[in-house]
Structures are given as structure tokens and as C-alpha cells.
Amino acid sequence: MIPSVLRQVELQDMDVRALTEIDLPQVLELERLGYSHPWTEGVFLDCFKDTYRLWAMVQGTDVLGYAVISYMVDEAHLLNICLHPGLRGHGAGRRLLRHALAASLKDGMVQMILEVRAGNDVASTLYLSEGFEEIGRRPGYYPDANGREDARVMAYRFT
């Protein structure tokens, strides 16, 4: 269950741990709150494989955010990162991103790539401030209310 009074949640009270299938009801609620075109339960279930890393940002039993990373050879691909809307802008996303980066480096990845909506300036600013660089664009990558939106492709090199 997601706390209704998030202003009481402090970063030091949150932990990052492996996401499990038991967390999916909370994850699906966060996905619905966070995205106009949310992933389905089936998409999440497909990510519980050896080549994926799934992380949950939690306070007690409450999942307040998550990240899904796919590993291919020596590259980590951040497929999805989402926080409860009430936590945005308070450092929780940065903490979850840094955890995903550190785990990927520890697992021997040489870089992390991601796509971010071209119009998502808040997320793009976070990624740039953490050392990601834009390496390209994917035209019409994301669905949106008016058709399709381009994605900025960003990369963080560990070496």
C-alpha cells in the first residue's frame, strides 16, 4: 500500500532492494500514477529473468519506486524508472538511479543506456547531472496523446 502522506517520508528511511513478483500490485499502481501509457503486468513478469535487474525503493513494506534494467553482454539498459509522484523532486529518483548505476558497474557493465521522452526536461536534467550524455534520438519512440513522441537516447560510460 502506498502511503497517503508522503511528505513524512525521508530519504534516510528508504531502502533499495531487489524487486519481487510480490511487489507487482504496488508497482502497477505506481506505473498507472506515473505514465500515460503504463506497462502491463505481463511486461513486468517478462522481466523476472537472469538478464534483468529489478530494484524497489521501499519504506517498510511500501514500494515507493522501482527501476528495471536489462543486461545485454556488457551494457545495462535502463528500461523503466518510476517514483510515486509525491516523491519527485526530493532526491529519491537520484538515489534509485545511483543504486542502479552502482549495481551495473559491480556486475561488470561498461555503460548504461536509456531512452527518455524528448519533452521530459526534469528527467533529462537529472540524467545529465549524473553524467549521462545524449548520444542520439529515436523518432516517434513513445506513444502519447497526440500520436508519438521522440526519445533522447542517453549513455553513461563506466570506463
Side-chain angles (χ1 to χ4, degrees):
M1 180 146 193
I2 298 170
S4 59
V5 185
L6 285 170
R7 66 178 167 270
Q8 295 176 354
V9 176
E10 299 292 334
L11 277 179
Q12 64 268 19
D13 295 335
M14 290 186 263
D15 293 311
V16 178
R17 62 157 171 80
L19 185 78
T20 67
E21 290 184 33
I22 294 168
D23 298 319
L24 282 182
Q26 292 183 80
V27 167
L28 292 169
E29 177 64 11
L30 289 172
E31 185 78 0
R32 186 190 65 73
L33 289 171
Y35 296 116
S36 61
H37 295 79
W39 283 11
T40 65
E41 182 175 10
V43 171
F44 279 103
L45 287 170
D46 284 344
C47 296
F48 287 95
K49 298 177 182 168
D50 289 343
T51 56
Y52 287 80
R53 300 298 179 270
L54 293 87
W55 302 108
M57 177 167 273
V58 298
Q59 181 184 42
T61 59
D62 295 321
V63 177
L64 303 176
Y66 58 87
V68 178
I69 299 99
S70 171
Y71 284 4
M72 182 175 278
V73 187
D74 60 357
E75 183 175 273
H77 189 165
L78 179 61
L79 300 174
N80 194 339
I81 188 167
C82 184
L83 292 169
H84 187 282
L87 286 179
R88 294 181 187 155
H90 299 285
R94 184 177 306 277
R95 180 171 171 198
L96 186 55
L97 176 63
R98 286 179 177 175
H99 180 90
L101 286 165
S104 297
L105 176 61
K106 182 179 176 191
D107 288 342
M109 300 295 111
V110 299
Q111 74 174 350
M112 180 178 281
I113 64 165
L114 59 85
E115 290 85 15
V116 61
R117 286 182 182 271
N120 190 342
D121 294 332
V122 172
S124 294
T125 299
L126 169 65
Y127 298 134
L128 290 168
S129 73
E130 287 298 312
F132 282 83
E133 295 179 2
E134 184 171 338
I135 60 170
R137 296 266 175 150
R138 296 194 200 281
Y141 186 78
Y142 288 107
D144 73 6
N146 301 317
R148 308 293 297 180
E149 182 177 356
D150 292 354
R152 297 175 71 179
V153 181
M154 304 183 94
Y156 181 101
R157 297 217 28 99
F158 296 118
T159 56

